Amino acid sequence: MLSLAGEPREARSAAPSTVSGVCHGTLGELYQGPLRAVTAPDIALVSFPVDRHSWVHFTRGTDPPDPSGLGDKAATAARLFLDHYQLTLPTGLWSTHSDLRVGVGMASSTADIVATLRCLFQLFALPYDQKVVLAVLAAIERSDSVFLDEFALHLSGRHRVIRRLGTALGFHTAFVTEPGTVDTEAVTASLLEHYRRRGEEYERCLTDLLKGFDSAAPAAVARAATVSATLSQEVLPKAAFDSLLAHRERFGADGIFVAHTGCLIGYLFPHRLGAHRKSELSAFFRSLGYQCSFVQGGYG
C-alpha cells in the first residue's frame, strides 16, 4: 500500500514542454529458479538486460490528459504515483513507443511501468525514488529488475533485490521468438512444484552463476545459463532447444539463454558476430522455421 506524502502541487511551469521516461527490457533470464532449496521456494531471477527499450512521453498541451494513451498497467502506475505524492497532472498528451514485444519474455509491461514513473519524476521535477518505483510495481505485478541499470539477483514476487551483480559482463546474441505467449501467473504453481523437485540442481546452478559474475567470467555465466535453460525444459519447453544445444559448439556459442516463462531462445556469444557467422546462424534458424535477430545483451 503506497503511503501519502507531501502537499498537492502542479508540475513546475518552467518544465520542458515534453518530458520522457525510458526503460530497457530483457531477453528473458540467465537464471530463473528457486533462491534456495526449501519447501516453499521463492521465484528468483537474474534477468538478461537488452539494448531495447520502452518510452513514455508527456507533452504539455490544452487538453485534459487521456490515460488511454498509456497501457492499462502503466495507467495504473501513473494513478498510484499521483496518489502517493498528492499531485495533479497538467493538461497535455501521453504518448508511447516500445521496441519490446508483449508476452514473449522481454519484460514489456514492467518496462512500460518504469518508463511511466520515470517520466512522471521528470514532469514534476522530483528526485527519482526507487522505493516508490518498487511499491508501485508491487501493487501491480511480479516484476523483472529492469528498474536497475545492472544485473541483479531479484525476487520477482517480493520485489526484493537480493544481490546486485554489476555491469562488467555483456554478450552478443542470436535469438528467435517461438510462437505463442505465456501467462506467468497461470504457470506459477507448476514452476514452484518443479523447483521443489529440482531444488539441489537449481542451487548448484545459481552458485555457479554467481561465481561467474564474481569473477567476471562470461563463459562461466553462459554455462550456468544453459543449465537453467535445460532445467526449464522440464516444465516450459522450447521447441528449438534440442537443436540449439546440438549445434552450440559448431557456432562457437558460450551458451544458451531462454525466457523461462516466455517464448525467447538464443545463443550467447562473447564477441560481436561477423557477417559470415550471422549468415550461417540465419540459415540455421530459418531451417528450423524462424527468423533470427541479433542484439547485444548485458553491459560489458
Side-chain angles (χ1 to χ4, degrees), residues 40 42 50 61 115 139 156 239 297:
D42 298 311
V50 66
S156 64

Side-chain angles (χ1 to χ4, degrees), residues 14 42 51 97 131 144 177 226 261 263 270:
D42 298 311
D51 191 20
H97 179 76
K131 290 182 179 179
D144 297 83
T177 305
T226 305
T261 51
C263 307

Side-chain angles (χ1 to χ4, degrees), residues 10-11 17 58-66 88-94 123:
E10 299 289 341
S17 59
F58 188 88
T59 302
R60 292 171 178 273
T62 57
D63 296 326
D66 182 358
T88 302
L89 277 176
T91 55
L93 176 68
W94 289 108
L123 179 64

